[in-house]
Amino acid sequence: MKNLQEQVCVWIDENRNRSIKLLKKMVEQRSVQGNEASAQAVVLEKCRQLRLDIDLWEPGGKLLKQHPHFVATRTSFKDSPNIVGVLKGTGGGKSVIFNGHIDVVPEGDLKQWDVDPYQAEVTENRLYGRGSTDMKGGNVCLLMAIEAIKAAGISLKGDVIFQSVIEEESGGAGTLAAILRGYKADAAIIPEPTKMKIFQKQQGSMWFRLKIKGRSAHGGTRYEGISAIEKSTLVVKHILELEKKRNEKITDPLYKSIPIPVPINIGKIEGGTWPSSVADLVTLEGRCGIAPNETIEEVQAEFQAWVSELSSKDEWFNEHPVELEWFGARWLPNEIGSDHPLTAALIESYKEIMKKEPVIEASPWGTDAGLISHAGDIPSIVFGPGETEVAHFPNEYIEIDKIIDCTKILAVFLMEWCGVSEEMFLPTDGEGKFKKETTK
């Protein structure tokens, strides 16, 4: 086994440029919501080269849209396909899902970028571009780990189910569609940008909307009205007090380096209709974090009770209570024990390659791991290259060395987790094309 691991790692080093080339192709595709098809075409071609059993479909249907965990910000997924490629094992080993999302957030103000966000520019050890770290770099690690296994002539006992899904940035409908399509495994790994840390726990989150009412009046006699804008400042302060209260309860050591484990962020505000009128309505929209040990329902109930307490701080809210609505995207929390076989296997693979102990933390954001765990009943863990500090930011980049290291770790993990069969593939022909024959 040791010799096979070394052989695989040598191949990954020698084929560094193949990883860069694949990532460049992915990043050059602007796969924002509704525009994922061209990036998925790159993934599809790679799956064909690897001779995986391919399943391509556009999510939809009643089963998906009526599922209790379904959320989406659009009604149709036309021209937004999911792709699953399966490397079938010979039998007798554990299976694994390798899940990565192909969608990226919009690039934002181009003036804040020093490079073209879709040029995939390489400078020394960095590849720049939207989606490079979140999370096309991780997706490349998944595919190249599979290719390295095949290039070495290794046949695994357990199945490897590679998934390139849409909609992660909007709540996970792509991953949920893959679950409902019947894809199951003994474990799942999602290579989101964890900075090569192992995230045993991830917070969830959900979007909320608050409507604060006022009473309109002429601006010249504003004292005759009630400003919803002024009342909204009381609401914001009240919500931040809830954030403090909720986070004071979290003592998990995995969150020790995270200043606010489960934040409540107000990200949008709208109010008023005319500069010379007193505003009679303000709408706040935001995101509420969910701790790994909480349910969505528990957090929603606590939030509603806290909002109702506004009436004790200002009598205006007695007759004009703030309206709370939950809408749009949400992500389920997730956790896996330190003693779980998946955790242990990934830690050992990390140590084998990096020659040191991994950093184990809790994630400050949600991922599709929550869906895979709760809706799919599949133990899931998040681990990948890239840094959260540059995800969704201008000049997003990923370090190429980290892609190579992560690919090696995942390849070694596959050998340990799925098991190596006595049956072997013949090596590639040198062009990455695998021969059909197998041999004992």
Side-chain angles (χ1 to χ4, degrees):
M1 177 73 83
K2 189 74 172 178
N3 288 338
L4 287 176
Q5 291 177 353
E6 291 174 356
Q7 185 178 342
V8 165
C9 290
V10 167
W11 186 92
I12 292 169
D13 281 330
E14 291 178 345
N15 288 271
R16 178 188 180 96
N17 286 337
R18 292 170 73 89
S19 296
I20 296 172
K21 184 179 179 180
L22 178 57
L23 181 55
K24 282 178 65 69
K25 285 183 178 180
M26 286 188 184
V27 171
E28 286 167 357
Q29 311 306 314
R30 186 177 180 270
S31 55
V32 295
Q33 186 182 77
N35 196 48
E36 304 92 341
S38 62
Q40 290 290 54
V42 175
V43 174
L44 180 63
E45 178 59 26
K46 190 64 181 179
C47 289
R48 285 174 175 161
Q49 289 177 5
L50 296 176
R51 299 187 181 277
L52 304 181
D53 293 341
I54 297 170
D55 184 11
L56 183 147
W57 79 101
E58 294 172 355
K62 289 184 178 180
L63 186 63
L64 175 66
K65 295 182 179 180
Q66 293 177 359
H67 193 280
H69 292 314
F70 172 77
V71 291
T73 55
R74 55 174 163 162
T75 57
S76 172
F77 302 108
K78 182 175 174 55
D79 298 324
S80 295
N82 267 355
I83 296 175
V84 172
V86 180
L87 176 64
K88 291 293 292 182
T90 60
K94 294 192 289 288
S95 58
V96 65
I97 288 173
F98 273 180
N99 174 284
H101 67 85
I102 198 68
D103 55 312
V104 302
V105 298
E107 60 276 10
D109 182 5
L110 291 177
K111 293 179 181 178
Q112 296 185 36
W113 286 78
D114 298 326
V115 297
D116 185 319
Y118 300 106
Q119 189 66 38
E121 180 178 315
V122 176
T123 303
E124 296 181 347
N125 187 41
R126 292 180 176 180
L127 188 149
Y128 288 85
R130 173 57 85 225
S132 57
T133 201
D134 186 16
M135 60 170 288
K136 292 176 179 178
N139 292 350
V140 166
C141 293
L142 301 179
L143 288 165
M144 294 305 293
I146 294 171
E147 183 168 6
I149 292 291
K150 297 198 73 175
I154 296 168
S155 182
L156 301 174
K157 294 180 180 179
D159 295 347
V160 182
I161 303 169
F162 167 77
Q163 300 177 342
S164 181
V165 299
I166 63 170
E167 288 292 291
E168 190 275 343
E169 298 288 1
S170 300
T175 289
L176 181 59
I179 293 168
L180 295 178
R181 203 162 175 89
Y183 289 105
K184 298 280 291 183
D186 296 304
I189 293 179
I190 300 181
E192 291 274 12
T194 70
K195 209 172 183 177
M196 302 288 281
K197 300 175 182 178
I198 294 175
F199 284 175
Q200 283 183 220
K201 300 183 180 184
Q202 301 95 52
Q203 66 161 285
S205 64
M206 51 190 168
W207 291 357
F208 63 85
R209 180 180 291 123
L210 296 168
K211 292 184 177 180
I212 300 120
K213 300 170 187 174
R215 184 168 60 232
S216 186
H218 193 287
T221 55
R222 72 175 188 85
Y223 44 82
E224 294 180 353
I226 300 293
S227 171
I229 292 175
E230 293 178 18
K231 295 301 181 186
S232 71
T233 63
L234 298 176
V235 175
V236 171
K237 182 179 179 182
H238 189 63
I239 295 302
L240 292 178
E241 289 172 356
L242 174 61
E243 178 189 69
K244 181 179 179 181
K245 176 189 173 191
R246 282 177 46 74
N247 284 275
E248 284 175 345
K249 297 184 294 184
I250 296 177
T251 59
D252 190 327
L254 293 183
Y255 279 108
K256 65 181 179 181
S257 64
I258 300 175
I260 307 175
V262 284
I264 302 177
N265 177 68
I266 295 174
K268 183 178 177 181
I269 181 170
E270 291 181 342
T273 56
W274 191 252
S276 289
S277 295
V278 175
D280 60 359
L281 179 66
V282 165
T283 301
L284 305 176
E285 293 180 355
R287 169 201 186 277
C288 179
I290 308 168
N293 61 338
E294 295 180 312
T295 67
I296 288 175
E297 294 75 18
E298 289 170 345
V299 178
Q300 288 180 342
E302 181 184 24
F303 202 109
Q304 179 63 72
W306 189 260
V307 169
S308 298
E309 290 183 14
L310 278 164
S311 59
S312 65
K313 296 192 172 185
D314 189 319
E315 61 182 16
W316 171 257
F317 295 117
N318 279 313
E319 298 297 325
H320 308 85
V322 174
E323 295 180 10
L324 169 62
E325 175 188 354
W326 301 98
F327 78 104
R330 67 171 180 259
W331 292 263
L332 292 167
N334 180 55
E335 60 182 328
I336 187 171
S338 300
D339 58 348
H340 193 281
L342 172 61
T343 310
L346 185 56
I347 289 173
E348 286 304 310
S349 299
Y350 181 97
K351 291 194 296 185
E352 178 69 28
I353 298 302
M354 304 304 292
K355 308 305 180 186
K356 62 180 180 181
E357 293 285 341
V359 176
I360 299 176
E361 286 187 354
S363 167
W365 26 254
T367 73
D368 278 356
L371 268 175
I372 293 174
S373 176
H374 291 281
D377 195 27
I378 300 168
S380 307
I381 206 162
V382 180
F383 165 78
E387 303 184 20
T388 59
E389 292 84 354
V390 298
H392 295 211
F393 279 70
N395 301 317
E396 179 181 349
Y397 69 86
I398 192 166
E399 294 182 7
I400 296 168
D401 286 349
K402 295 297 190 296
I403 293 175
I404 302 305
D405 287 341
C406 185
T407 302
K408 292 177 182 178
I409 292 166
L410 292 173
V412 170
F413 168 84
L414 286 179
M415 297 169 69
E416 295 290 346
W417 181 261
C418 299
V420 174
S421 173
E422 293 181 0
E423 181 178 322
M424 302 289 284
F425 292 109
L426 288 178
T428 68
D429 60 5
E431 297 296 327
K433 298 176 181 178
F434 296 95
K435 299 179 181 179
K436 295 181 180 180
E437 299 87 1
T438 61
T439 183
K440 290 283 186 178

